[in-house]
Amino acid sequence: MKVYERLAEAFKAEGTTHIFGMMGDGNMYWMDALNRLGVTMIETRHEGVGLGMADGWARHKHSPGVATATCGPGVTQLATALVTAARAESQVVAFVGEHPASDQDYHQRLNQALFAVGYETGFIRLATPEFADEAVRRAFYFAKLESRPIMLSAPMDVQQQNWEDDEPYKPSSTLMSKRTVPTDAVALEQAAEIIAKSKKPVIIVGRGAVWSGAGDAVIKLGERIGGLIATTLRAKTWLADRTDYHAGISGLYATHAAIQLFEDADCVIGVGASLNRHTTEHGYMYPNAKYIQLDPKPHIVMGQGRAADCYVQADAKAGLQELEALLEKRGVKSTGYRTGETLERLSNMYEDRAEFKIEPGTIDPRQVCRAVDDIIPGDIGLFTGNGASSAFTVMTTHKPRPYVHSSGFFGCIGQMLPTAMGATIANGNKPAVLVDGDASTIMHLSDFDTVVRCKMPLLVVVLNDEALGSEYQKLKAHNMDPETSAIPSPDLGALARAFGARGCLARTIDEVRAGVREWVAKPGPMIIDARISRAVINLPHRRVLYGKDE
């Protein structure tokens, strides 16, 4: 057995079922061995897309996604996707080839260890054949422990050496402790004391609460203390179908009604949420509140360098259950926000009534997003891109869905198509919808071919303003020439058809609705190129650029 075959066996033993990336000299033997072991190879047209798909897999399943690239230039193509996955705290293992250890003048040589460090990625090098098992085990262990990408770099000549050991591979799970950290009783008592004294509590749930399965516990606590339920952007729409007192997203993407309600809060309970500066809007969102934070990490510094008034290190579900029992013992029961007045203020909170003059042949982007939200059934997941287009989608769509994956971890465009592809595969190739901008979509449009080859039932709705939307609005707000950000776009629907998928160009809302209905009737690879008006300014930009909240 060769070392590359043993490496393949180790990856299979770690539970790897799919590999995303491109083949080259540095990884092709390993990929062939995995293919013979029954692992699905999904080859992309760009190495960064493969890493982005592994990131999407990890975000959706909360377990390691595996990407691969060849040595040197294959590795450098991973740069943006690696940082995005690191900021998303995604468990990713990237198996990459490395130039032969015996040939320091190899033309594709690269200091891959230094590269990994620069892109916020852990690094493990396969220095000797005997280290093969340990290298794979460490890669998966640290990906899970640190929730970030780990690069496993394997020199080509080391891969070709013989593997002499016949001991069974011991997966990384054997290194993971099954013990749970007991919840700090003193911290729980402190949290219960703060809640008992509060009159207007808000519970903010994040991805940690979702991953923990804390939904029932959140609902129960909210009912006991009269709490409003809010979410981070990452947990958008979660629990919205389970309570009338759901205030949507906390932060810049909050509705006007929610912001007004949040101003009255005297207690904020963060559950599996970092409570970063975006969620608290730089500390201005809850001016008079005390903060309680439940999270499995030893500690988290909130936005603006502030610590919570009470930090409870605990799994979201278990911690809430213990807190609920403590509050019940104390006899705590409060109406809080749960009144008819609150319901009245939350009704129709997603309506954006600002009027704009729409250019001929274009559509109000808010109408496009509403059409997607209205027509796409609630059992289908949603992906939202980054940039100006994302604000329209985030603030206009509110139907509860099994998942809503957002971008924004690194503030870059172009990453949500790969993320959506990987998460769709992770979700059993079930129908899903991505709404993104034109520049972002076009950045990795070549890999729509991968969507078609894999028969992904993925609908891509492009909010196409034929410009870099955020820059257009910022230039305009600063009395500069916004047309310098304008870039003409081809018919993306026609390009989709050229790839062998369905696609259409939409210049009216009726054409958008017709395209969405066509996809719902028969899900498959499809692009709707919706030409939107540049005159419409999304609400977050109105707030930031013009100081308007209407």
Side-chain angles (χ1 to χ4, degrees):
M1 177 184 291
K2 297 293 186 181
V3 169
Y4 67 80
E5 293 175 304
R6 180 62 175 191
L7 291 167
E9 287 186 352
F11 271 79
K12 178 73 180 291
E14 287 287 351
T16 303
T17 60
H18 291 72
I19 303 290
F20 307 100
M22 286 189 72
M23 182 180 288
D25 286 350
N27 62 350
M28 65 182 188
Y29 298 102
W30 172 80
M31 290 181 73
D32 177 73
L34 277 165
N35 184 56
R36 285 186 273 114
L37 291 172
V39 174
T40 300
M41 300 288 115
I42 296 185
E43 291 210 61
T44 58
R45 299 301 186 181
H46 189 283
E47 290 92 339
V49 171
L51 199 292
M53 290 184 72
D55 179 10
W57 174 286
R59 289 192 214 177
H60 192 77
K61 295 183 77 71
H62 200 217
S63 64
V66 180
T68 188
T70 192
C71 59
V75 172
T76 57
Q77 295 278 35
L78 303 177
T80 301
L82 281 173
V83 179
T84 301
R87 301 289 175 87
E89 298 184 340
S90 291
Q91 303 173 11
V92 172
V93 174
F95 178 89
V96 299
E98 185 179 314
H99 69 271
S102 58
D103 186 357
Q104 294 304 305
D105 293 324
Y106 192 75
H107 68 297
Q108 289 186 328
R109 68 188 180 279
L110 175 72
N111 187 333
Q112 295 180 176
L114 188 61
F115 177 90
V117 170
Y119 290 95
E120 303 179 12
T121 297
F123 185 82
I124 295 170
R125 185 170 186 268
L126 181 65
T128 65
E130 295 76 23
F131 188 57
D133 278 14
E134 184 69 12
V136 176
R137 188 160 43 246
R138 286 190 183 189
F140 278 88
Y141 174 76
F142 285 114
K144 290 183 279 191
L145 181 70
E146 299 174 358
S147 291
R148 66 165 177 157
I150 304 295
M151 182 181 293
L152 173 51
S153 185
M156 295 160 66
D157 50 353
V158 176
Q159 289 187 56
Q160 294 294 336
Q161 294 183 40
N162 292 325
W163 172 262
E164 306 294 350
D165 196 345
D166 59 358
E167 287 291 317
Y169 175 77
K170 296 179 181 178
S172 59
S173 58
T174 62
L175 304 177
M176 309 298 288
S177 172
K178 292 183 171 62
R179 293 178 298 142
T180 57
V181 177
T183 307
D184 185 338
V186 174
L188 271 180
E189 287 284 356
Q190 184 184 359
E193 183 69 18
I194 294 172
I195 294 171
K197 292 179 180 179
S198 73
K199 303 297 182 184
K200 292 291 183 71
V202 176
I203 304 171
I204 302 177
V205 293
R207 289 192 302 168
V210 178
W211 290 336
S212 176
D216 289 343
V218 171
I219 295 298
K220 191 173 182 181
L221 178 64
E223 291 172 348
R224 174 173 296 281
I225 66 176
L228 272 183
I229 308 297
T231 76
T232 65
L233 176 60
R234 317 303 177 203
K236 176 177 164 60
T237 80
W238 191 55
L239 303 179
D241 56 343
R242 297 191 57 184
T243 175
D244 293 331
Y245 295 94
H246 196 287
I249 294 172
S250 172
L252 181 63
Y253 290 132
T255 65
H256 182 70
I259 290 172
Q260 290 180 320
L261 288 166
F262 295 157
E263 287 175 353
D264 297 330
D266 56 7
C267 175
V268 172
I269 306 165
V271 184
S274 64
L275 299 182
N276 59 41
R277 65 180 187 174
H278 303 293
T279 303
T280 63
E281 192 48 23
H282 300 268
Y284 292 107
M285 188 67 72
Y286 306 94
N288 303 308
K290 287 185 177 294
Y291 284 87
I292 298 169
Q293 193 166 20
L294 284 83
D295 199 278
K297 294 180 181 177
H299 199 269
I300 297 175
V301 177
M302 294 163 38
Q304 306 306 106
R306 177 180 175 180
D309 297 280
C310 175
Y311 190 89
V312 182
Q313 183 183 5
D315 170 77
K317 181 179 178 180
L320 283 181
Q321 288 172 338
E322 291 183 59
L323 182 58
E324 164 68 23
L326 197 55
L327 291 170
E328 183 179 23
K329 184 179 179 180
R330 284 170 168 251
V332 174
K333 182 69 177 176
S334 175
T335 300
Y337 279 106
R338 305 223 166 181
T339 65
E341 179 188 355
T342 299
L343 290 178
E344 179 65 27
R345 294 171 73 176
L346 291 175
S347 64
N348 299 317
M349 66 174 176
Y350 292 103
E351 279 297 316
D352 182 356
R353 297 180 178 86
E355 295 183 359
F356 300 90
K357 186 177 180 180
I358 308 301
E359 307 98 313
T362 66
I363 317 167
D364 187 325
R366 297 169 297 181
Q367 289 186 336
V368 178
C369 296
R370 281 195 291 268
V372 170
D373 205 35
D374 290 344
I375 299 171
I376 300 294
D379 60 348
I380 290 176
L382 173 68
F383 300 90
T384 66
N386 202 21
S389 66
S390 66
F392 290 119
T393 316
V394 169
M395 299 206 68
T396 309
T397 60
H398 55 87
K399 182 182 289 184
R401 298 187 178 280
Y403 61 86
V404 179
H405 289 299
S406 62
S407 186
F409 289 103
F410 186 36
C412 61
I413 64 172
Q415 285 302 118
M416 279 313 285
L417 178 57
T419 299
M421 292 162 63
T424 297
I425 295 295
N427 197 40
N429 219 22
K430 295 177 182 176
V433 180
L434 164 65
V435 183
D436 208 347
D438 48 311
S440 186
T441 302
I442 291 171
M443 190 171 288
H444 285 308
L445 189 60
S446 60
D447 262 290
F448 194 70
D449 168 66
T450 305
V451 175
V452 175
R453 279 186 286 111
C454 294
K455 297 181 174 62
M456 295 183 203
L458 180 63
L459 171 63
V460 181
V461 179
V462 184
L463 298 180
N464 190 347
D465 59 2
E466 295 193 276
L468 299 168
S470 290
E471 288 67 28
Y472 184 93
Q473 298 301 341
K474 291 171 186 176
L475 289 169
K476 188 176 180 180
H478 291 93
N479 297 315
M480 302 171 75
D481 183 7
E483 292 301 319
T484 57
S485 68
I487 309 173
S489 169
D491 180 345
L492 302 181
L495 288 175
R497 296 194 298 274
F499 278 117
R502 287 174 292 162
C504 64
L505 177 67
R507 293 190 177 276
T508 68
I509 191 60
D510 287 340
E511 290 172 335
V512 171
R513 287 182 171 276
V516 175
R517 288 193 182 101
E518 177 188 340
W519 181 83
V520 169
K522 186 180 180 182
M526 184 174 181
I527 293 178
I528 298 175
D529 183 351
R531 297 302 168 102
I532 63 169
S533 169
R534 297 177 195 159
V536 183
I537 307 171
N538 65 53
L539 186 51
H541 272 156
R542 277 178 260 159
R543 289 170 175 168
V544 172
L545 299 176
Y546 298 98
K548 296 181 178 180
D549 193 21
E550 57 182 8

